[in-house]
Each structure stands twice: as C-alpha cells, then as structure tokens.
Amino acid sequence: MKLTTAQALVRWLLAQRSETLDGREVALFPGVFAIFGHGNVLGLGTALEEHRDDLPLWRGQTEQGMALAAVGYAKATHRRQVGVVTSSIGPGALNMVTAAGVAHANRLPVLLLPGDTFTSRAPDPVLQQVEHFGDPTATVNDAFRPVSRYFDRIVRPEQLLSTLPQVARVLTDPADAGPVTLALPQDVQAETYDFPDALFAPVTHRPPRPRPDRRALTEAAGALRASRKPLLVLGGGVRYSGAGERALAFAERHGIPITETTAGRTLVPHGHPLHAGPLGVTGSTSANVLAAEADVVLAVGTRLQDFTTASWTVFSPDVRLITLNAARFDAVKHGALAVVSDADAGLTDLATQLESWQVDPLWTERAAAERDRWDAHIDVLRGPGGEVPTYAQVVGAVNDLSEPHDYVMTASGGMPGELIGGWRGSGSISMDVEYGFSCMGYELAGAWGAAMAHTGGLVTTMLGDGSYLMLNSELFSAAFAGHPFVAVVCDNDGFAVIARLQEGQGGEPFNNFLADCRSAHAAPPRVDFARHAESLGCAVFTASTVDDVRAAYAKAREAAVAENRPAVVVVRTQPNSWTEAGAWWEVGVPEHLSGREAFEESKPTQVRYLKGRI
C-alpha cells in the first residue's frame, strides 16, 4: 500500500484497539489534539483530514494545554486509552515538553508527534530551527529525550515498521507506561513508501498481568505472618490494574488497615472500617500515626515518593518494607523485599500463601478509631466560621454536593492537601491529584481531557488564582468543543502555599503574594476572573461566603450539563488557613533561618535503606 509516512502512521493509529478494565473493546487512540504549523500541516495534517470522520481532531490554544489534556484523558481512562498530540517544529514542540514531564513523572501514556527539521538539510536553516554549531543532527526535539519513555526520530518511512510495535508496547505496558515521542521531519512526513498491509491489521492491546516470583512471594508471606502491626499502602498501580476490589478483599480477609497514596486516593470507600486515611505530608494524621507504629508495610503499586513517605520519616526505622509493583525499578527502592507483579495477580497469589492468617483485632480496630479522630478534625475545619471561606470549607461544600461517580481534580498549590487529606470518596476511583509533577495549569487543561473521557459523572477541577493565570486558554477549547466540567477558582491573591513554606521556615515575605511583589502602582490592578472566564465562553458564578459557594456550585453543575460547556465558580478565599497532617517534608533550609532547627531534628529520623532488616 503506497502511502506517505504520515498517512501510514494515521492508518496504524486507527487500527489499534484497547481493552478497558471492564472488558470492553475501545480505540487505543480515541482522538488527536493538534495545532498546525509549517512542520506538520501538509504531512500529518493532510493525513488526519483524510480520516476526520474516524479519528476526532481537537484544536487547542496552546501545545502544552493540549498535551496536558491528553494526560488528563489517560488518567481518567486508567491508562487504557491514549491521547495523541501533534505540533509544528520549534516553539510548538517545546511547549509540549512540560506536559511530557507531567506524563513521565506520573507514569501516564501520551503520544507526542512534534514536527522536525528537514532530513535533507537543503533549505536549512528553516523557520523556527535552532542550529547547534557542533551537532547538525540536534533539534529542539532532543529536549524530549529526558522526559520520554521512548523516543525516536523517523528519518526514513520504513522505520515505522520497527518503531511502531515499540510505541504500542510502551504506551500499554503496566511497568513502562509513559510518554512516547516520535519526531517527524516534515520532508519525511510527505515521503511515500510501499507499506505492508499487515501493518494496518486491527490489534487489541491487553496489558500483561505478570505473576510474582514464588520465592519472593513466600518470603513476603513469611514477613507478614510474623508481623504484629502490618499496614497496607495502596498506590496508583492498584487503580491501573483494576485491583481495588481485590485489595479491599485482601485487607478484609486478613484484617490489615489500609492507607492510600496520592495516586491511590478514593480506591477505598472513606467510611470503610479498615480505611485509616491517606498517607503522608498531604495525607492524614490517622494514617501517619499507624505508619509510625507499623512493623511491616505492604506497599502495592506505588513508587513511595516524598509526599507519601514524609520524606521517608513516616515509617519506623525498624519497619519491614514489602513492595508489590509491576515495575522492578520501583519495587527495589530502599532495599525493600521486592515482589514484581501485577497488583491484582500478586494480591491473589499472596492471599493464597497467607491462607487464614489474621491480624490482632486490636490493631485492626485502630484504623477506624484513628480515622474517626481525623474526620472530627476535618469536620471542625469545614464547619461554620470566618467571613472569608477557607480551602477546607470550599472543598467540603463541593464534596457534599458531588455524586458518587463524579470526578474531582487538582494539581498544585494548597489544594492537593485539602483534597488528598479531606475528601470523602465512595470508592469509585473518583480523584485525579497530579502531584507527581505538580504542574500549575494542569487543573484546567487536564479537566478538558478528563471531561472527554469520564462520561459517567461530572468532572470538577479545583485550583487557585495562580494556576488559573498560568494556563487558562483551554477553557475556551472545552467551551468551543462542548466538553462540560466545573472549575472552582479560589482567589487568595498569589502563590499562597509557597508563601506558607517561605514564611514558615523563617523567610521574609517575598515574591509570592501579590502584595509582596514589585509593582509600579500604589494600587496594582486585580484580575476579574469571572469576566475573564466568561469571555472564554464559560458559564460563570461568583461566591463570597460558604453558603454562596454551595449555591454557586449547585448552579454551576446544572449549567455545565445543560449548556454543554465549562462552568466556573470564582470565590475569594483565606490565604493562610490549611489542612495539616503533621508530617515533615524535606526542603533546603539555610542555616540562618528559624526553620533550620526543625530540619536538623527531623533529618536524622529518615529511613534510608532497609535491606538488612528484611
């Protein structure tokens, strides 16, 4: 079949299928996000136009926003579907690098197709080309290498035959999942080749479920049987495996208290008696108390990043750590007893090894007791008081009015601590907190992608004024395309959570709150977020009290669905009231600041390596 490189690539995309967690067959690549320029409009753009009825194409306003939307789509589909994003060469391509970092840090699949400079070099230097004096083969697309799981530059059409199976492998593999970048020189996009028909035969991708090594499984079971106070930590890998019910049944069978990581939030119904709450800095005191006492921790599907482990101070120095993970890279960290396995398959086999073993009921009962104390604390924070609403009160209002299958999102600033620590979910996997890369602006762009994918309930994204100003243009994209969601924008006059970190460690207020930034005006201008969002095509509601927030959010939910566009709630919030879990987080504190003393007290409590204790 004689086709251009771009035509062959598009036909291959259309042939790829995927199996969802509930067994349905869907398109692996459900759509493409595109901004065209001279590097992709005639090659890839023409090929996409030929299949415009079969492969939906969405035009965003920024390349970063489109790629973040694709990341949000992948998360909402539990990594079973992949968004494709194409840009021209130069600034269009570089705009996607940040989104690639988000996908890489969070182990989420996205396919990036930036245009590239001519392989012939005949017209060099072309518009937007960056020339390297000592390496003529280098282009701006080499910036994707550190943030791609798989990178290739296609300089001959027939190279697709060897690279496309690897593209599919990485995008669908539970251990390697992440961003794939195929750099496409614009002359190669238009070059023809006789491609074999078999390349375009339909293929259904079903992620493998590797089972654990028997010796590792036996050792893990022995460590659990010898424990008195075991703790189960559930991460994002449990979600992507579809192992939430399996993990809950495992915990119930043996009486093990459960905590969740950021990526694992809402796997467990909030009110379940074994649910101790979320773990770590932005988690809950209840989970952290149990973690400090646990003698064995079984961490399933998590890379145990610093916010989850309180910079590795949340566990006892004598803890035994068992990691069950599809990625060996994550499983062996900190010298843990590594069980390399799919979460669902591994928990099934581990339960068989443990048979009727049970935890001491007194330890089992601690989970509910500690979580009840935490819930009472959150109830106080959410309760009435104060003229200006706090983040906790705003989150409480949204939580109370949300339906069981709705989907809530955030990414940066103070909101992750409020959602991770305070949200009360039903166990329907209803949360996306992008806290692997903590990318400001993901909240709106990612919500556009999530709204495309999550059709069983309403998507609500929660963000601060800083994130809104960082990247808001995809509100227009969602309004134009007709993808409804609700955005709750909390205006506290600046980067409040970084000001909290700065001043909390003894630093002077500087460059975070707008009042502490350099300005030429005695009365600097303020942003009218409501009018701005309205100008981008959104329905807009404002609030000034907690009761106002409830009323505005209820109206926004109705408007988003009825009008098929985003609805934005704008509310002024307090700048210095936060939900605290009482855990430490390591940051670099200069010796002359007051926070250095606490740093020197906490630093020695870090658990650094556990191999000798397994």
Side-chain angles (χ1 to χ4, degrees), residues 87-108:
S87 75
S88 182
I89 64 176
L94 285 178
N95 280 347
M96 297 195 295
V97 173
T98 296
V102 172
H104 196 283
N106 291 282
R107 319 294 171 83
L108 292 169

Side-chain angles (χ1 to χ4, degrees), residues 380-420:
V380 172
L381 297 180
R382 289 183 173 185
E387 295 182 4
V388 180
T390 65
Y391 269 27
Q393 290 171 322
V394 174
V395 168
V398 172
N399 201 166
D400 290 344
L401 293 171
S402 293
E403 300 292 334
H405 293 286
D406 286 350
Y407 194 78
V408 66
M409 303 176 62
T410 195
S412 59
M415 196 57 75
E418 307 300 325
L419 282 181
I420 298 167

Side-chain angles (χ1 to χ4, degrees), residues 63 67 85 87-101 104 110-116 139-153 179-183:
E63 291 85 359
V85 193
S87 75
S88 182
I89 64 176
L94 285 178
N95 280 347
M96 297 195 295
V97 173
T98 296
H104 196 283
V110 61
L111 177 57
L112 304 175
L113 304 176
D116 212 329
T139 77
V140 297
N141 286 332
D142 290 289
F144 284 99
R145 293 181 185 271
V147 287
S148 296
R149 289 283 187 201
Y150 183 83
F151 177 93
D152 196 4
R153 179 176 282 112
V180 169
T181 302
L182 290 186

Side-chain angles (χ1 to χ4, degrees), residues 144-203:
F144 284 99
R145 293 181 185 271
V147 287
S148 296
R149 289 283 187 201
Y150 183 83
F151 177 93
D152 196 4
R153 179 176 282 112
I154 305 301
V155 298
R156 293 292 305 155
E158 59 266 37
Q159 290 176 345
L160 288 181
L161 300 176
S162 60
T163 204
L164 289 179
Q166 301 303 326
V167 169
R169 172 188 64 82
V170 173
L171 293 174
T172 62
D173 189 273
D176 291 346
V180 169
T181 302
L182 290 186
L184 301 173
Q186 59 175 305
D187 52 345
V188 177
Q189 289 180 47
E191 190 173 344
T192 57
Y193 181 77
D194 289 325
F195 288 94
D197 292 348
L199 179 65
F200 312 116
V203 176

